[in-house]
């Protein structure tokens, strides 16, 4: 025994020396500069998908090859097709067939999945200013957008009139009242000024607040109908030159869109929580909680000007309520008064509701190793008009991704996990196509979905932005560092970081209605809480805010618990939902050479390849646990604000007591967050152990060791990809049970903006401190369960 000790120690010393040398070599290599197009080995610490699978044809590098495939010529052709005319949900079957056939030409299995939601279409609309006694008509709104010479989209005979999706039928008359943006605070300000909107027609401007909630707020205060106009201060001539001389909204342009109450639930109004299949049972339309009950119409600022002038001298001068109530028409002599007017307004919104078939196009590239696991990428296809930006820029890119994946398949590539490409229908009415598909496939998604990556209006400007589950954060940074930014020696990440640091808040891509109603939304509802803008987030990386609602990621993230990411280029929204969101405007002012389209294609495709092909899914659960701490800090501030609001109902001592209880109760959340962080680090330790002992691809001769490696790798992938599911409460958010994500869901009155810890925050808003404590403890329990799930091997 004693004689063998020295040789053994010597052997161990030799091994340690060899290990030290390897570490030195690795460190030296890691300091070498990265090439412009990085190989797969640089994307992940393991061997990734360099051909070890049987279907990968001897080791091609799909990531490096893919970067060079997307073509601006192909993207231009695709965009011309999709933006060649109006393609409203339910009447765009030809585009669904084209999309399916295009996928199949690339060698990708594809099918059309139909649903039968309840949707409306315009029949007759009218806005008339008249004297109710004499019936003299003083003004009749044109409700029509001008033809722009040279822009075919502006003269399409299929263009819709002024119209709101899922709006109420109605023919109503009343005095006119101006209510600024139509937020709850605006109606409260009118009431404080002694001005009632009961039985009135309310005129509000687009911006800062979801249009459906403007209608709901007006109805709560007793209004008969709502007119929503685009003020030039928000996205018209005050911003710059109007189309066709510039990108901003011209005087005849109005913004179509849905007035669905998306914060209640998205999707088909009559099948909440289950798919709208052909023979599905339907609730009574009177019981549908996500539709408004009073009629509404959109207006251009040309049509709104005579109405605002009819208010002059009646009620209060809007500037006396708040100077921010004065819009851009002041330059044309409009003084902005509240009313009520002396004259009456008649609002007619005649629509036809009917069950209408819609078509999702679903394509699948089958994975070679784990075909049941799937990465889903999606974009909606329907538009209120030609929709060059929204959504056709994304649709054009989705086709180009299919072509690129087809080219890789010709080289022998198959993804490790399956990739699903989805072209959704009826998003514009209220996220209907994606919601119905998620509801129909909910069990499969919760068992097998790795993640969902959404692109909507892929190119609306030149500012890159993303919103995501925190697990995506590091992966998106890595991918954007691989994508060159056009006409520069920078990467997309470099430009994104510079713009993020220069901005006081994150770019407002999160929700179209929340942010794209107008530029003013940036200041009215900051998409990122101040606490998270400053100390909560590193200034060394671009900000990636959480997801609320507003596009097709909603059902995946907030209902099914599938980690999701939403990305694209945002910017000048002067044609949003109008006839001027056209190919001509896109190529004149937004992306003439389709270079930004190509950038989105590269980012989107690389994300799909990484998620589908990496041996270990590159989701960072430590990032999630760390950001949860900042969520809690923001929640504490929200509770404190609500306590201050409640002081007028309580004595100071009781308010102090309630605040102490509320803040003290956050100890459950803080303890759960700490446990989640500890266990997230343990999972990272498992990743390191896998790499150092076995290697991520588990390529070894010993069957026993390979089996152990595969089991450990599967456990890691399950834990990182299913963490989000553990933040899903089957009971849902109280009062809005369709939304089930307890950490981040859309707020009740935030439009599509996110609400952190919605059940807790809303209990505070209701000053229900008992429920607040209950929800805080329940949410902490779910986080603890998530933490132990991360630890389970």
């Amino acid at each position: 025994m004693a004689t063998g000790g020295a040789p053994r120690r010597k052997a161990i010393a030799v091994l340690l020396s060899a290990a030290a040398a390897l570490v030195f070599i690795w460190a030296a290599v890691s300091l070498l500069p990265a090439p412009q197009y990085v190989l797969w080995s640089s994307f992940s610490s393991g061997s990734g998908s360099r051909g070890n699978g049987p279907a990968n044809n001897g080791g091609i590098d799909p990531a490096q090859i893919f970067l060079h495939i997307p073509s601006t010529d192909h993207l231009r052709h695709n965009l011309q097709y999709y933006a060649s005319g109006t393609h409203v949900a339910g009447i765009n079957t030809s585009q669904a067939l084209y999309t399916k056939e295009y996928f199949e030409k690339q060698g990708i299995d594809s099918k059309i999945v139909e649903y039968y939601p309840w949707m409306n279409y315009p029949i007759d609309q009218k806005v008339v200013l008249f004297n109710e006694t004499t019936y003299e008509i003083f003004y009749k709104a044109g409700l029509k957008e001008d033809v722009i010479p040279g822009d075919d989209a502006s003269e399409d005979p299929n263009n819709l009139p002024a119209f709101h999706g899922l709006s109420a039928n109605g023919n109503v008359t009343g005095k006119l009242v101006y209510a600024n943006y139509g937020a709850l605070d605006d109606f409260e300000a009118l009431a404080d000024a002694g001005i009632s909107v009961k039985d009135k027609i309310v005129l509000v401007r687009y911006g800062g607040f979801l249009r459906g909630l403007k209608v709901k707020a007006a109805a709560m205060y007793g209004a008969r109908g709502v007119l929503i106009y685009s003020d030039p201060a928000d996205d018209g001539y005050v911003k710059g030159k109007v189309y066709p001389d510039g990108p901003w909204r011209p005087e005849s342009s109005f913004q179509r869109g849905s007035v669905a109450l998306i914060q209640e639930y998205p999707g088909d109004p009559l099948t909440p929580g289950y798919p709208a299949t052909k023979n599905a049972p339907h609730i009574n339309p009177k019981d549908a909680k996500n539709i408004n009950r009073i009629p509404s119409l959109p207006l251009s600022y040309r049509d709104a000007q005579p109405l605002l002038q009819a208010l002059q001298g009646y009620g209060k001068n809007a500037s006396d309520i708040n100077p921010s109530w004065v819009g851009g028409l002041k330059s044309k002599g409009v003084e902005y008064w509240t009313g009520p007017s002396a004259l009456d307004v008649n609002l007619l919104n005649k629509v036809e509701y009917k069950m209408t078939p819609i078509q999702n196009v679903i394509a699948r590239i089958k994975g070679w190793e784990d075909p049941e696991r799937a990465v889903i990428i999606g974009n909606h296809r329907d538009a209120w008009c030609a929709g060059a930006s929204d959504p056709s820029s994304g649709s054009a890119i989705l086709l180009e991704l299919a072509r690129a994946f087809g080219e890789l398949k010709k080289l022998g590539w198959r993804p490790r996990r399956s990739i699903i490409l989805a072209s959704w229908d009826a998003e514009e009415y209220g996220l209907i196509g994606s919601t119905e598909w998620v509801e129909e496939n909910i069990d499969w998604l919760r068992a097998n979905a790795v993640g969902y990556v959404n692109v909507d209006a892929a190119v609306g400007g030149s500012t890159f932005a993303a919103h995501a589950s925190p697990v995506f954060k590091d992966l998106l940074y890595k991918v954007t560092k691989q994508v060159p930014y056009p006409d520069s020696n920078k990467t997309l990440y470099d430009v994104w970081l510079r713009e993020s640091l220069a901005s006081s808040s994150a770019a407002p891509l999160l929700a179209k209605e929340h942010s794209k109603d107008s530029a003013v939304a940036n200041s009215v509802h900051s998409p990122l809480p101040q606490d998270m803008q400053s100390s909560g987030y590193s200034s060394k990386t671009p900000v990636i805010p959480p997801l609320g609602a507003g596009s097709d990621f909603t059902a995946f993230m907030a209902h099914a618990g599938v980690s999701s990411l939403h990305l694209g280029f945002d910017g000048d929204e002067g044609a949003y939902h109008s006839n001027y969101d056209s190919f001509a405007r896109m190529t004149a002012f937004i992306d003439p050479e389709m270079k930004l389209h190509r950038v989105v294609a590269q980012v989107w495709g690389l994300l799909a390849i990484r998620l589908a092909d990496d041996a270990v899914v590159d989701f960072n659960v430590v990032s999630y646990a760390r950001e949860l701490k900042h969520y809690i800090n923001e929640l504490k501030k929200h509770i404190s604000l609500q306590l201050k609001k409640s002081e007028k109902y309580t004595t100071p001592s009781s308010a102090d007591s309630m605040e102490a209880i509320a803040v003290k109760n956050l100890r459950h959340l803080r303890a759960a967050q700490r446990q989640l962080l500890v266990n997230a680090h343990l999972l990272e330790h498992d990743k390191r152990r896998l790499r150092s002992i076995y290697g991520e691809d588990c390529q070894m001769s010993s069957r026993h060791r390979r089996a152990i490696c595969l089991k450990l790798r599967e456990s890691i992938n399950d834990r990182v990809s299913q963490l989000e599911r553990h933040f899903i409460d089957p009971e849902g958010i109280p009062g809005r049970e369709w939304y089930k994500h307890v950490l981040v869901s859309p707020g009740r009155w935030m439009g599509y903006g996110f609400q952190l810890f919605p059940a807790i925050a809303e209990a505070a808003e209701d000053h229900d401190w008992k429920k607040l404590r209950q929800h805080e403890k329940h949410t902490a329990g779910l986080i603890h369960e998530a933490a132990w799930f991360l630890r389970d091997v």
Side-chain angles (χ1 to χ4, degrees):
M1 295 274 305
T3 58
R8 186 179 300 112
R9 286 193 295 271
K10 183 176 181 180
I12 292 173
V14 170
L15 288 173
L16 289 174
S17 298
L22 288 172
V23 170
F24 175 80
I25 294 170
W26 173 85
V29 171
S30 67
L31 295 176
L32 293 175
Q36 182 177 2
Y37 294 104
V38 183
L39 296 178
W40 185 265
S41 57
S42 297
F43 274 93
S44 64
S45 54
S47 56
S49 183
R50 289 189 292 170
N52 293 301
N56 283 353
N57 196 29
I60 70 164
D61 180 352
Q64 184 183 15
I65 294 171
F66 168 80
L67 269 172
H68 299 279
I69 297 177
S71 157
T72 54
D73 288 340
H74 281 92
L75 288 163
R76 181 182 297 272
H77 174 79
N78 295 344
L79 183 61
Q80 279 183 307
Y81 169 73
Y82 279 116
S84 60
T86 293
H87 45 287
V88 181
I91 54 176
N92 64 359
T93 305
S94 62
Q95 286 197 349
L97 292 170
Y98 178 91
T99 303
K100 176 180 182 294
E101 291 169 1
Y102 193 96
F103 288 155
E104 290 173 343
K105 287 178 182 177
Q106 314 313 315
I108 304 173
D109 293 336
S110 178
K111 64 180 179 179
I112 289 178
V113 180
E114 280 198 329
Y115 296 101
Y116 296 80
W118 192 61
M119 302 190 302
N120 66 339
Y121 296 91
I123 296 177
D124 192 16
Q125 295 74 37
K126 181 172 63 175
V127 176
V128 177
L129 181 68
F130 73 107
N131 185 309
E132 194 174 32
T133 302
T134 65
Y135 292 99
E136 180 183 1
I137 294 177
F138 288 86
Y139 175 70
K140 183 175 182 180
L143 303 181
K144 187 176 181 181
E145 293 182 289
D146 293 341
V147 170
I148 301 294
D151 189 341
D152 294 341
S154 68
E155 53 183 330
D156 186 341
N158 296 315
N159 283 339
L160 292 178
F163 161 71
H164 280 150
L166 297 185
S167 55
N169 259 308
N171 187 354
V172 294
T173 298
K175 305 296 183 184
L176 187 67
V177 173
Y178 170 65
N180 194 31
Y181 287 108
L184 282 176
D185 289 347
D186 294 328
F187 287 105
E188 290 170 5
L190 285 175
D192 291 343
I195 297 166
S196 172
V197 301
K198 183 174 174 57
D199 298 325
K200 308 297 192 300
I201 306 298
V202 175
L203 177 66
V204 301
R205 50 178 170 159
Y206 270 112
F209 204 59
L210 172 65
R211 69 176 75 81
L213 290 176
K214 296 174 190 281
V215 179
K216 180 180 179 179
M220 286 175 57
Y221 279 81
R224 290 178 176 173
V226 181
L227 299 169
I228 312 178
Y229 82 99
S230 299
D231 194 283
D234 298 326
D235 63 354
Y237 60 78
V238 174
K239 293 291 185 180
K241 291 183 179 181
V242 302
Y243 190 66
D245 298 319
W248 295 100
R249 192 180 297 274
E251 65 174 6
S252 71
S253 178
F254 49 81
Q255 184 190 134
R256 301 161 184 83
S258 174
V259 288
L261 298 174
I262 201 74
Q263 82 284 352
E264 296 292 338
Y265 59 88
D268 174 35
L270 305 189
T271 59
Y274 58 95
T277 53
K278 191 169 186 177
N279 298 313
H282 297 92
I283 65 172
N284 191 308
K286 294 180 180 179
D287 297 325
K289 294 181 179 180
N290 71 340
I291 54 176
N292 276 295
R293 307 300 174 182
I294 63 173
S296 64
L297 286 175
L299 292 179
S300 66
Y301 54 85
R302 183 171 69 189
D303 281 344
Q305 183 172 339
L307 301 180
L308 288 165
Q309 289 171 330
L311 293 170
Q312 188 165 322
Y314 295 96
K316 302 280 187 179
N317 190 299
S319 62
D320 292 337
I321 295 180
N322 193 310
S324 66
W325 282 44
V326 177
L329 289 169
K330 182 180 180 180
S331 64
K332 293 185 179 293
V334 174
E335 294 186 2
Y336 288 88
W337 287 69
T338 63
S341 61
L343 298 174
D344 284 80
V345 171
N346 174 244
L347 186 166
L348 170 67
N349 183 49
K350 186 176 182 181
V351 294
E352 177 188 16
Y353 270 94
K354 58 183 178 180
M355 302 294 178
T356 306
I358 63 170
Q359 295 84 31
N360 292 336
V361 184
I362 309 295
R364 178 176 179 247
I365 304 173
K366 187 177 181 180
W368 63 264
E369 181 180 78
D370 197 358
E372 275 300 296
R373 300 278 194 246
V375 176
I376 305 114
I377 63 175
N379 158 268
H380 76 92
R381 189 182 63 257
D382 65 298
W384 293 117
C385 45
S389 172
D390 181 17
S392 297
S393 59
S395 300
I397 295 168
L398 187 65
L399 288 195
E400 184 63 353
L401 291 188
R403 188 183 71 84
F405 293 154
E407 292 298 313
L408 290 176
K409 286 185 66 179
K410 292 175 184 177
L411 298 175
W413 169 79
R414 296 294 185 276
R416 188 182 297 268
R417 306 169 193 91
S418 295
I419 297 176
I420 291 176
L421 296 83
S423 175
W424 310 115
D425 201 357
E427 186 270 358
E428 293 292 2
Y429 275 87
L431 321 181
I432 294 177
S434 58
T435 298
E436 303 312 308
W437 190 82
V438 168
E439 289 174 346
E440 184 170 33
N441 295 281
I442 188 73
D443 293 336
W444 177 83
L445 285 166
R446 286 178 175 164
N448 296 296
V450 174
Y452 175 69
V453 184
N454 189 70
V455 168
D456 191 326
V459 181
S462 59
T463 302
F464 184 77
H467 301 254
S469 163
V471 295
F472 270 101
K473 184 177 178 180
D474 288 352
L475 176 59
L476 184 59
Y477 292 156
K478 292 174 186 177
V479 165
T480 53
K481 287 176 181 178
Q482 314 308 315
V483 176
Y485 193 79
D487 304 321
S488 75
N489 60 356
K490 307 287 187 182
T491 67
L492 173 60
Y493 178 88
D494 297 330
V495 176
W496 179 24
L497 176 60
R498 182 189 66 207
E499 293 175 345
S500 182
L501 294 179
S503 175
S504 60
S505 63
L509 182 71
L510 173 60
K512 295 186 297 182
E513 321 302 346
H514 176 63
S515 63
K516 293 185 181 176
D517 278 346
S518 76
V520 77
N522 295 6
S523 59
V524 176
H525 289 296
S526 172
L528 192 65
Q530 289 297 321
D531 176 66
M532 295 168 66
Q533 290 178 29
S534 55
S535 61
Y537 281 72
S538 170
S539 61
K540 297 179 181 179
T541 56
V543 174
I544 304 177
L547 288 164
S551 192
D552 291 305
F553 57 79
T554 304
F556 287 93
M557 181 75 174
H559 188 71
V562 176
S563 297
S564 299
L565 166 66
H566 181 56
L567 61 91
F569 283 95
D570 207 8
D572 302 340
E573 294 302 334
Y576 182 55
H577 285 186
S578 78
N579 292 344
Y580 309 128
D581 183 9
S582 62
F583 181 80
R585 178 180 174 273
M586 173 68 77
T587 53
F589 299 108
I590 309 302
D591 192 17
E593 299 179 41
M594 310 303 289
K595 292 180 180 179
L596 297 182
H597 283 71
R598 186 171 188 264
V599 168
V600 175
Q602 290 172 316
V603 174
W604 200 8
L606 285 177
L607 285 167
I609 290 172
R610 286 294 311 274
L611 290 172
D613 248 359
D614 276 4
V616 175
V617 177
D618 195 5
F619 278 164
N620 192 330
V621 295
V622 172
S623 289
Y624 210 138
R626 286 174 174 164
E627 295 204 17
L628 189 57
K629 180 178 180 179
H630 308 311
Y631 291 6
I632 296 170
N633 291 340
E634 188 64 24
L635 175 64
K636 179 180 177 180
K637 293 168 64 176
H638 183 75
I639 293 171
S640 296
L641 177 63
Q642 301 309 315
L643 283 161
K644 290 179 181 178
K645 290 182 178 180
S646 73
E647 284 181 357
K648 60 183 178 180
Y649 303 113
T650 61
T651 64
S653 60
S654 62
D656 292 342
S657 175
M658 285 188 295
E659 181 169 10
I661 292 172
V663 173
K664 181 181 178 182
N665 267 351
L666 293 185
R667 73 179 190 275
H668 295 107
L669 285 180
R670 295 191 185 281
Q673 181 271 332
R674 289 192 294 269
Q675 187 64 62
L676 185 70
L677 182 59
V678 168
N679 289 6
H681 279 295
L682 290 175
L683 188 145
E684 289 299 313
H685 172 75
D686 286 345
K687 288 184 181 179
R688 292 191 295 270
R689 183 161 62 92
L690 174 69
R691 297 185 194 114
S692 62
I693 297 177
Y694 304 104
E696 289 185 356
D697 264 318
C698 298
Q699 294 296 314
M700 55 201 69
S701 57
S702 168
R703 291 184 179 181
H704 178 66
R705 283 174 57 80
R706 176 172 169 77
I708 295 173
C709 178
L710 290 173
K711 182 179 179 181
L712 176 59
R713 191 178 73 184
E714 181 180 9
S715 170
I716 292 170
N717 285 337
D718 284 347
R719 284 179 279 163
V720 298
S721 62
Q722 296 197 24
L723 171 64
E724 205 83 53
R725 316 283 204 274
H726 288 265
F727 303 131
I728 292 295
D729 183 351
E731 299 299 317
I733 308 304
R736 301 183 296 128
E737 286 75 15
W738 188 92
Y739 288 102
K740 300 184 182 300
H741 203 297
V742 298
L743 304 186
V744 183
S745 285
R748 290 184 295 191
W749 286 96
M750 297 176 67
Y752 290 156
F754 62 84
Q755 174 66 66
L756 302 175
F757 298 101
I760 303 171
E762 289 162 17
E765 292 165 6
D766 296 338
H767 304 157
D768 191 332
W769 313 112
K770 181 179 179 180
K771 282 188 177 179
L772 184 149
R773 295 192 295 272
Q774 292 172 347
H775 291 316
E776 190 263 351
K777 191 172 182 179
H778 177 65
T779 302
L782 293 177
I783 297 171
H784 273 297
E785 290 177 8
W788 289 111
F789 171 73
L790 289 182
R791 193 166 186 168
D792 184 30
V793 180

